[in-house]
Amino acid sequence: MKFNLKKKSVILWGIILIAVILLPDAEMYYQRYKLRSEKLPEQYKSYSTLDNLKDTDYEIIKISYGIHEPVIQENDSTIVIITKRDRDSEKAGAANTYTWYKINLKGQITDSLQYQYNTENGVHNYQTFNDYIVDVDQNTYSNWMKDGDTTHYPYKNLDDAKIFSVAETEDITANRDYMYDDIIHSESPENEYKYKLTVFKDNIWNYFYAEKDWHGYPKNTLNKKAIDFSNSGYEIDKSSGLIKRDHVQKEKWNARTFWSLKNFSWGSGNGSGNRGWSGTSYFSINMPKKTLHYKQNVFIERPDNYLRDPFSYFVYQPKNGDYMLLIDEEHQLYYLIRPKKS
């Protein structure tokens, strides 16, 4: 009798021990079991990633990696501006590369322009505003964006011998369209300095020097040529319908086991802030000739099923244009989706 009681006690404690081990991970086991029955619908199995999308009528071109400047719409050309900075900005001779691409309504790159300059030597510094490419160090501007002319024309100083007061500076810069400032240090022991201000106002480029007590920097007016992505298909799931999310497939429950040493502290387990599923989103792209399809990774949060994409797109399709421009901000990448040449 005592033996049976002891045996039952051992079994009972064994069950309790197993329960203590398994119960904290009950949701993990449930979610893993549930995922086994969630099969991907047949129509989505042929979807590929954007990088591998193949089609008989369309092609996807990665234009370049780099920091995206404003995208400009100039007549029938979309002008994409990309700045690429040297990864090792501390080394001597670190360089910036500015590249401008002109894209016609068929999505073909019809012209391009590239300038490279050292970030430290003060020889060149290119800025883009409206129709102009401005070198604020050389005091020149180019009309290449509107007429293809690569010549850089000089613009003049308001008064070579004068340093303008705060009041005069505020008067000159009032109601201007664009301004760029730079600090000019002297070689005096006191390290005196002044501001060099490049101003675009009344359709004229000028530069002048302001005294160091000037500290005003009101915002520039909007670049009238820059694309407003909020009206051109910005944000998947909240856009004008250029890109639509057709389906989300949960594939893996991401929360760790309660007993994982990686949680670092007792009881953090499945409540460690990573609750949810990794999976795949399946999208449709509405192009003029047909609908294209692609997929990308997604994280689905628990419990509200909120979707976290690995990046967000800025989407643009020009009026009467046959192509689409997708800008992946997080990875600093342009996708140009255009018709294949006949």
Side-chain angles (χ1 to χ4, degrees):
M1 185 72 173
K2 290 182 179 180
F3 176 77
N4 287 337
L5 288 174
K6 186 176 181 179
K7 183 177 180 181
K8 289 179 180 179
S9 178
V10 170
I11 293 173
L12 180 60
W13 280 107
I15 293 173
I16 292 172
L17 180 62
I18 292 173
V20 168
I21 293 173
L22 295 182
L23 280 177
D25 286 333
E27 185 177 25
M28 180 183 72
Y29 294 121
Y30 169 73
Q31 294 294 346
R32 288 179 177 177
Y33 174 77
K34 188 178 178 182
L35 286 175
R36 294 178 184 176
S37 63
E38 296 184 4
K39 303 298 182 182
L40 178 67
E42 192 68 30
Q43 65 263 37
Y44 302 118
K45 291 182 179 179
S46 61
Y47 285 29
S48 63
T49 61
L50 273 175
D51 291 350
N52 296 295
L53 197 155
K54 306 294 182 184
D55 187 78
T56 54
D57 299 309
Y58 286 93
E59 61 183 353
I60 293 186
I61 306 298
K62 286 185 182 180
I63 298 181
S64 180
Y65 290 92
I67 298 171
H68 306 139
E69 304 295 325
V71 175
I72 307 297
Q73 187 63 52
E74 177 67 48
N75 298 324
D76 288 340
S77 289
T78 301
I79 299 175
V80 170
I81 309 162
I82 298 176
T83 309
K84 187 174 182 180
R85 295 188 173 94
D86 197 305
R87 292 183 181 273
D88 186 3
S89 59
E90 300 299 322
K91 73 179 183 180
N96 278 1
T97 303
Y98 268 77
T99 309
W100 294 261
Y101 297 94
K102 287 185 179 180
I103 304 172
N104 66 15
L105 294 177
K106 296 294 183 182
Q108 298 298 318
I109 297 174
T110 59
D111 198 3
S112 65
L113 182 67
Q114 186 175 90
Y115 294 129
Q116 291 181 322
Y117 65 95
N118 184 280
T119 56
E120 302 297 333
N121 63 12
V123 174
H124 297 289
N125 187 348
Y126 296 101
Q127 305 293 319
T128 305
F129 185 75
N130 282 1
D131 294 317
Y132 304 98
I133 299 172
V134 186
D135 186 342
V136 295
D137 281 347
Q138 290 295 313
N139 310 317
T140 62
Y141 67 90
S142 166
N143 295 312
W144 176 85
M145 292 211 298
K146 57 184 176 182
D147 61 17
D149 183 3
T150 60
T151 305
H152 271 257
Y153 298 96
Y155 55 85
K156 295 182 178 181
N157 188 300
L158 291 176
D159 189 335
D160 287 324
K162 182 174 180 178
I163 297 178
F164 288 76
S165 68
V166 171
E168 290 171 321
T169 300
E170 290 177 346
D171 182 61
I172 295 171
T173 59
N175 301 317
R176 83 285 186 277
D177 293 307
Y178 178 84
M179 180 170 66
Y180 183 88
D181 74 326
D182 197 9
I183 296 177
I184 307 299
H185 290 278
S186 69
E187 297 181 0
S188 67
E190 295 80 14
N191 195 24
E192 288 291 319
Y193 65 90
K194 58 188 175 183
Y195 286 99
K196 177 187 174 184
L197 301 179
T198 299
V199 175
F200 182 62
K201 184 176 180 179
D202 299 328
N203 290 318
I204 297 174
W205 288 99
N206 267 304
Y207 75 96
F208 66 98
Y209 297 103
E211 62 182 27
K212 67 177 182 180
D213 291 333
W214 177 83
H215 294 292
Y217 200 91
K219 291 183 179 179
N220 292 326
T221 58
L222 293 176
N223 190 332
K224 296 177 182 178
K225 301 288 184 175
I227 290 168
D228 180 6
F229 286 101
S230 64
N231 296 318
S232 59
Y234 167 61
E235 289 187 351
I236 293 171
D237 294 332
K238 297 180 182 179
S239 70
S240 59
L242 297 178
I243 295 183
K244 294 182 179 179
R245 194 188 309 261
D246 298 326
H247 178 72
V248 176
Q249 186 73 23
K250 297 174 181 176
E251 295 166 354
K252 181 182 177 182
W253 176 251
N254 272 35
R256 294 189 293 266
T257 173
F258 180 87
W259 305 104
S260 173
L261 294 177
K262 293 181 179 180
N263 292 324
F264 295 109
S265 61
W266 178 266
S268 59
N270 287 334
S272 59
N274 197 28
R275 290 169 63 84
W277 304 264
S278 57
T280 303
S281 287
Y282 297 83
F283 295 96
S284 293
I285 309 175
N286 296 320
M287 300 300 292
K289 289 184 178 180
K290 66 196 303 185
T291 300
L292 304 178
H293 305 285
Y294 76 97
K295 64 182 180 180
Q296 72 179 26
N297 296 332
V298 69
F299 186 83
I300 306 103
E301 292 186 355
R302 168 83 169 168
D304 57 2
N305 286 332
Y306 177 77
L307 302 176
R308 285 198 284 118
D309 293 304
F311 48 83
S312 58
Y313 287 124
F314 290 80
V315 182
Y316 179 65
Q317 193 171 57
K319 185 178 180 180
N320 300 321
D322 293 337
Y323 74 92
M324 180 186 290
L325 191 65
L326 276 63
I327 305 177
D328 171 1
E329 285 288 340
E330 282 77 1
H331 298 93
Q332 299 179 348
L333 177 65
Y334 283 97
Y335 289 98
L336 174 61
I337 305 177
R338 66 186 185 187
K340 290 182 177 178
K341 284 187 175 181
S342 302

